[in-house]
């Protein structure tokens, strides 16, 4: 049995939430659609098919939506989730993990998770496309413990991804 204890760093969690939201398929489609709309509007303006007010309106809409996805969505998610403010005690082995907070402890077998993504700062353990549990890489006492957990996750999950830079 291995043990971790950690509290979440607000800025790191907000960065992780941005990573999560910007990877979601529907947000990628929405973002790409808006980029195409902006390019078409700029082209229309250059060819004098679209007036300046329409160009300004589309550009302003892009800024507002960008702000909402980059700032508002992650910050509001962070503020709503009590877990991010708790002191977490985590025990794990080959069968699963036990998560203890101020509200008690609950055991979670690994088969409750469908996917895991490892980044430089976090392990994202996804239950489904929308809900996940974050384990900060900084919670591990040394590189050996971090690598051991990473290898355990690789052996358990067929959908395991290690991403650099995030």
């Amino acid at each position: 049995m291995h043990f971790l204890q950690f509290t979440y760093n607000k800025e790191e969690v907000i960065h992780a939430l941005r990573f999560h939201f910007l990877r979601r398929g529907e947000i990628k489609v929405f973002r790409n659609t808006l980029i195409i709309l902006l390019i078409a509007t700029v082209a229309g303006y250059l060819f004098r098919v679209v007036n300046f007010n329409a160009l300004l309106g589309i550009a302003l809409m892009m800024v507002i939506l960008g702000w909402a996805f980059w700032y508002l969505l992650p910050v509001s998610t962070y503020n709503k989730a009590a877990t991010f403010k708790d002191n977490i005690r985590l025990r794990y082995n080959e069968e699963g993990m036990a998560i203890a907070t101020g509200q008690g402890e609950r055991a979670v077998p690994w088969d409750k998770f469908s996917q895991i993504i490892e980044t430089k700062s976090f392990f994202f353990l996804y239950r489904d496309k929308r809900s996940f549990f974050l384990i900060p890489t900084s919670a591990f006492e040394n590189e050996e413990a971090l690598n051991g957990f990473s290898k355990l996750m690789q052996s358990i999950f067929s959908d395991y991804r290690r991403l650099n830079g995030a």
Side-chain angles (χ1 to χ4, degrees), residues 115-131:
Q115 177 186 29
I116 183 167
I117 296 176
E118 178 185 349
T119 67
K120 183 179 75 174
S121 301
F122 288 99
F123 288 92
F124 292 73
L125 282 77
Y126 282 88
R127 293 178 188 268
D128 55 43
K129 289 182 180 183
R130 296 177 187 258
S131 67

Side-chain angles (χ1 to χ4, degrees), residues 33-111:
T33 302
L34 288 177
I35 289 170
I36 292 168
L37 176 62
L38 181 63
I39 290 169
T41 305
V42 169
Y45 178 74
L46 293 175
F47 289 108
R48 302 190 197 293
V49 177
V50 174
N51 69 24
F52 179 75
N53 289 337
L55 176 65
L56 186 63
I58 297 291
L60 187 60
M61 180 182 68
M62 294 279 294
V63 168
I64 291 168
L65 289 171
W67 173 78
F69 285 129
W70 187 255
Y71 180 77
L72 194 60
L73 188 58
V75 169
S76 66
T77 301
Y78 176 87
N79 289 336
K80 281 191 239 174
T83 304
F84 295 134
K85 296 160 187 85
D86 277 338
N87 182 30
I88 309 279
R89 292 170 313 285
L90 187 78
R91 292 181 294 124
Y92 66 91
N93 60 22
E94 293 78 23
E95 283 82 47
M97 65 180 175
I99 305 167
T101 64
Q103 298 153 356
E105 181 176 290
R106 68 174 197 244
V108 184
W110 294 126
D111 65 5

Side-chain angles (χ1 to χ4, degrees), residues 6-39:
F6 57 89
T7 54
Y8 291 105
N9 174 292
K10 181 178 181 178
E11 292 306 313
E12 287 179 354
V13 170
I14 288 174
H15 182 71
L17 290 169
R18 284 182 185 132
F19 171 82
H20 164 74
F21 289 126
L22 293 177
R23 287 187 71 254
R24 294 201 33 201
E26 61 270 21
I27 294 196
K28 285 181 180 179
V29 168
F30 188 66
R31 179 187 65 211
N32 292 340
T33 302
L34 288 177
I35 289 170
I36 292 168
L37 176 62
L38 181 63
I39 290 169

